[in-house]
Amino acid sequence: MTLDFDKLASKFHSAGQTTGATPLSASSATSDTESYRLHLPDEQSLPVVLSSPHSGSNYPTSFIEGSRLDHHNLRRSEDSFVDELLCNAPRLGAPLLCALFPRAFVDANREPFELDPQMFEDELPSYVNTSSPRVAVGLGTIARNVTSDRPIYKDKLTFAEAKDRIERYYWPYHQVLRQLVDSTKRKFGYCILIDCHSMPRLSTIAQPGNQGMKNKRSKVDFVLGDRFGKSSSSAVTRRVENILRQKDFRVLNNNPYPGGFITQHYGEPALGINCLQIEISRHLYMDEDKIERKPELATITALMDEIILAVGAIEETSLDY
């Protein structure tokens, strides 16, 4: 049995355990907590919210000391610099929420308690989801691995440690994300949430345009995930896809990334809340091995500006459910 997310969130908030969370306020353009950085526009003019849950890089010293991996290798699971690709969103009229905690420490794009019992020295509560596909590959709310063959921890954890991370970092992020989505829907009558991520270099078999040509491997630049149409109106996905294809980027839909927990949980197009996950190939803007920015980062930032404005121009009457 797993706990209902909204019921658990309500229980968490009513208990006053909102460590690090702050109310939304347009009087301060940027708000920092230990959990997140929130960038608000002077006035929200677009029905759009931007989320970057995996770009955090604040690694607690105790976490690094308890890891088998050095700081550089721990960073390999980050969506490094994705927050920078979205940095102009507030100036364009949309709020931007960025996690400051790293994905390897606690993952905001998971259920609140997707945990691997083999990682813990004590028994886990019955409400913990111990059998999800994410847990099976070591990528639960508290990850076992950075990659499939790189275990993070030297020793087993206690459930109290996991619970503390979730209460201090995970819940404040989701509390503010929920507020952003709901306030946007109240203001405009609908909301388009763009959940932004990066992916390692990916290639697939590209289908040739002319018959008789052999198939060849081709790099993938972007993957758009809308849970196969369940989390967002197709008008949003089409708008983003058209922009990318017009610029000769190779785009896949829902394969291999249909959208994670944020896309699944927040996307309710029938209620006017559309959520699209965008995966950006890291080779477009960074050196994956060195984890360093490339000059092309500015180009992809400008591209994201164009996407934000284009999605924000979609009228409610154009959204199909």
Side-chain angles (χ1 to χ4, degrees), residues 83-159:
D83 53 340
E84 297 181 28
L85 299 177
L86 308 172
C87 67
N88 291 325
R91 182 177 59 80
L92 300 175
L96 167 62
L97 179 64
C98 308
L100 296 181
F101 55 90
R103 177 186 189 183
F105 184 64
V106 59
D107 193 336
N109 199 27
R110 297 289 182 266
E111 295 175 23
F113 290 99
E114 286 186 76
L115 302 176
D116 182 350
Q118 296 183 18
M119 293 175 59
F120 296 89
E121 63 183 41
D122 48 350
E123 187 174 348
L124 300 180
S126 60
Y127 59 77
V128 172
N129 184 348
T130 61
S131 58
S132 77
R134 280 77 56 190
V135 168
V137 295
L139 298 175
T141 317
I142 306 295
R144 182 178 70 241
N145 305 325
V146 165
T147 61
S148 59
D149 59 347
R150 287 179 177 267
I152 294 173
Y153 296 97
K154 296 175 183 176
D155 303 307
K156 291 193 174 184
L157 306 175
T158 65
F159 177 69

Side-chain angles (χ1 to χ4, degrees), residues 292-307:
E292 293 178 352
R293 303 165 185 82
K294 295 197 299 190
E296 290 81 359
L297 185 141
T299 302
I300 303 302
T301 300
L303 173 64
M304 295 309 298
D305 291 352
E306 183 176 347
I307 287 172

Side-chain angles (χ1 to χ4, degrees), residues 157-188:
L157 306 175
T158 65
F159 177 69
E161 291 177 83
K163 188 169 182 286
D164 179 67
R165 293 185 197 180
I166 291 165
E167 289 178 350
R168 291 177 58 189
Y169 299 92
Y170 178 100
W171 284 120
Y173 187 89
H174 279 280
Q175 179 189 26
V176 173
L177 184 56
R178 181 84 264 173
Q179 289 178 328
L180 290 169
V181 168
D182 290 348
S183 64
T184 300
K185 185 176 183 296
R186 284 195 300 270
K187 180 178 176 68
F188 297 93

Side-chain angles (χ1 to χ4, degrees), residues 61-298:
T61 301
S62 60
F63 174 63
I64 296 175
E65 290 175 346
S67 174
R68 298 172 182 266
L69 306 176
D70 60 25
H71 182 248
H72 185 82
N73 281 303
L74 282 171
R75 294 196 64 194
R76 292 190 181 280
S77 67
E78 283 179 24
D79 288 346
S80 300
F81 317 124
V82 165
D83 53 340
E84 297 181 28
L85 299 177
L86 308 172
C87 67
N88 291 325
R91 182 177 59 80
L92 300 175
L96 167 62
L97 179 64
C98 308
L100 296 181
F101 55 90
R103 177 186 189 183
F105 184 64
V106 59
D107 193 336
N109 199 27
R110 297 289 182 266
E111 295 175 23
F113 290 99
E114 286 186 76
L115 302 176
D116 182 350
Q118 296 183 18
M119 293 175 59
F120 296 89
E121 63 183 41
D122 48 350
E123 187 174 348
L124 300 180
S126 60
Y127 59 77
V128 172
N129 184 348
T130 61
S131 58
S132 77
R134 280 77 56 190
V135 168
V137 295
L139 298 175
T141 317
I142 306 295
R144 182 178 70 241
N145 305 325
V146 165
T147 61
S148 59
D149 59 347
R150 287 179 177 267
I152 294 173
Y153 296 97
K154 296 175 183 176
D155 303 307
K156 291 193 174 184
L157 306 175
T158 65
F159 177 69
E161 291 177 83
K163 188 169 182 286
D164 179 67
R165 293 185 197 180
I166 291 165
E167 289 178 350
R168 291 177 58 189
Y169 299 92
Y170 178 100
W171 284 120
Y173 187 89
H174 279 280
Q175 179 189 26
V176 173
L177 184 56
R178 181 84 264 173
Q179 289 178 328
L180 290 169
V181 168
D182 290 348
S183 64
T184 300
K185 185 176 183 296
R186 284 195 300 270
K187 180 178 176 68
F188 297 93
Y190 64 110
C191 175
I192 300 173
L193 171 60
I194 306 296
D195 195 47
C196 297
H197 300 261
S198 68
M199 61 184 180
R201 185 182 293 268
L202 176 68
S203 63
T204 63
I205 299 297
Q207 297 297 324
N210 300 321
Q211 289 186 346
M213 291 178 61
K214 292 183 179 180
N215 291 347
K216 62 179 181 179
R217 298 204 69 81
S218 175
K219 63 180 175 59
V220 177
D221 300 309
F222 292 84
V223 177
L224 306 180
D226 60 10
R227 306 293 297 183
F228 300 96
K230 294 180 180 178
S231 71
S232 178
S233 164
S234 61
V236 178
T237 307
R238 286 198 307 269
R239 181 68 60 91
V240 176
E241 183 177 5
N242 288 342
I243 290 172
L244 296 173
R245 291 192 185 281
Q246 287 169 8
K247 298 181 183 301
D248 295 324
F249 289 111
R250 182 145 189 262
V251 185
L252 295 181
N253 290 325
N254 295 302
N255 181 24
Y257 307 114
F261 174 77
I262 288 175
T263 312
Q264 180 179 19
H265 176 73
Y266 288 90
E268 297 183 281
L271 299 180
I273 301 174
N274 301 268
C275 185
L276 175 68
Q277 177 176 288
I278 300 180
E279 295 273 358
I280 308 167
S281 182
R282 294 169 189 159
H283 81 273
L284 293 173
Y285 67 91
M286 65 176 281
D287 184 313
E288 290 188 65
D289 292 328
K290 296 180 180 179
I291 314 182
E292 293 178 352
R293 303 165 185 82
K294 295 197 299 190
E296 290 81 359
L297 185 141

